[in-house]
Amino acid sequence: MKLLRFARGFVNFVPTKEMRKDTAKHQGLRNQLVNLLREKGISNEDVLQAVGKVPRHLYVDSSFEQFAYRDQAFPIRANQTISQPYTVAFQTELLEVTEGSKVLEIGTGSGYQAAVLCEMGVKVYSIERQKELFDHTRELLQQLGYRPTLKFGDGYKGMPTYAPFDAIVVTAAAPEIPNALLAQLKVGGKLVIPVGDVSDVQRMYCITRKGEKQFSRATHGDFRFVPMLGNKE
Ligand code: SAH
């Protein structure tokens, strides 16, 4: 039986998570990626250091592993994507968070963005609405030693139990800015969210809560994300 399993595995060899390693070669590729992000304008050293630490190749499908350190987005399970490293770094930089900050992420996906925030010493809360992804990523993050608070549910509602947050990052395309997320920001906190046509291009918004009822907004260029879906879709 053992032999049979081995033979089958040999013909169609797909390394399991347990077998996938982080090597000096991966670290070298990560260092190159960090340099590229710096050249592209990312300047927050905490963000760059975190990108330099997270083994991104373990967050992509094993068939994409060799490309994991390219500055590209890739498909992950359940028809979703792992964001491009530049986009992850750019959104993280806009959050302006430091060690100990409380951050809510909408769209856990592969868990890569959550891991980058964990490496920065941030207290991470993250919501995912696809059960398959949620289950897979919860296990992966645990195996890799990251301990964010994960929730299976609808990100449009946020996580009122743990609110308010120092920052909220939405990693899926929203047709509009959800009021529930604005309400869960601390005064002084930031919501970073791609807003626009969810089937095309979105604009990156950074909303700052200036007071109980006062918000200011700035925009930061165009991006493409998978749609942030509501309950009924
Ligand atoms: N941050 C992720 C990016 C994943 S892509 C990463 O680092 O890999 C966006 C994710 O948002 C998908 O997994 C999708 O299932 C999820 N998503 C879409 N709508 C959502 C919603 N309403 N609530 C929570 N997650 C949602």
Side-chain angles (χ1 to χ4, degrees):
M1 183 60 197
K2 237 184 183 164
L3 190 67
L4 189 71
R5 241 196 275 139
F6 173 74
R8 218 176 42 205
F10 190 72
V11 172
N12 186 13
F13 183 74
V14 179
T16 63
K17 275 189 305 244
E18 290 73 35
M19 291 161 73
R20 292 170 71 183
K21 296 257 152 45
D22 189 28
T23 64
K25 186 176 154 230
H26 293 120
Q27 186 57 60
L29 291 169
R30 273 203 289 285
N31 295 344
Q32 285 176 19
L33 175 61
V34 166
N35 289 338
L36 179 69
L37 296 180
R38 206 176 260 126
E39 277 167 27
K40 287 188 169 181
I42 304 297
S43 61
N44 182 320
E45 284 302 322
D46 294 340
V47 175
L48 291 167
Q49 260 192 37
V51 170
K53 283 185 192 156
V54 177
R56 182 171 164 90
H57 61 286
L58 301 181
Y59 294 79
V60 301
D61 225 71
S62 52
S63 48
F64 290 101
E65 187 171 323
Q66 53 179 317
F67 311 120
Y69 294 101
R70 289 189 183 172
D71 191 20
Q72 281 177 13
F74 291 106
I76 53 174
R77 58 193 65 216
N79 241 348
Q80 302 302 320
T81 55
I82 178 172
S83 302
Q84 184 183 342
Y86 175 75
T87 305
V88 172
F90 188 75
Q91 285 195 289
T92 310
E93 188 164 76
L94 285 176
L95 296 174
E96 288 184 17
V97 290
T98 51
E99 199 174 337
S101 300
K102 251 175 90 176
V103 176
L104 173 66
E105 176 194 23
I106 310 301
T108 316
S110 69
Y112 178 71
Q113 166 79 76
V116 167
L117 286 165
C118 286
E119 281 292 355
M120 292 173 71
V122 162
K123 191 140 183 33
V124 180
Y125 301 80
S126 185
I127 309 176
E128 173 56 55
R129 75 182 283 284
Q130 295 267 9
K131 187 74 167 83
E132 182 196 348
L133 258 177
F134 173 78
D135 289 338
H136 169 83
T137 300
R138 182 172 53 176
E139 202 192 311
L140 177 73
L141 287 169
Q142 200 171 347
Q143 278 180 9
L144 294 173
Y146 297 114
R147 298 277 180 272
T149 301
L150 301 178
K151 182 182 153 119
F152 169 59
D154 180 9
Y156 276 100
K157 300 194 176 84
M159 265 202 226
T161 325
Y162 296 99
F165 298 96
D166 292 298
I168 301 177
V169 59
V170 178
T171 66
E176 60 198 47
I177 296 163
N179 280 329
L181 298 185
L182 291 175
Q184 291 173 35
L185 270 184
K186 278 186 194 168
V187 172
K190 292 186 189 296
L191 167 64
V192 172
I193 179 169
V195 184
D197 181 348
V198 301
S199 58
D200 191 12
V201 176
Q202 305 88 42
R203 186 140 296 167
M204 192 66 75
Y205 278 77
C206 182
I207 319 277
T208 307
R209 185 168 202 168
K210 295 283 193 188
E212 221 18 69
K213 290 192 173 143
Q214 278 172 292
F215 295 88
S216 72
R217 62 170 66 176
T219 56
H220 297 272
D222 291 346
F223 292 81
R224 268 174 214 273
F225 285 80
V226 294
M228 181 174 174
L229 298 172
N231 260 348
K232 293 174 222 83
E233 293 158 286

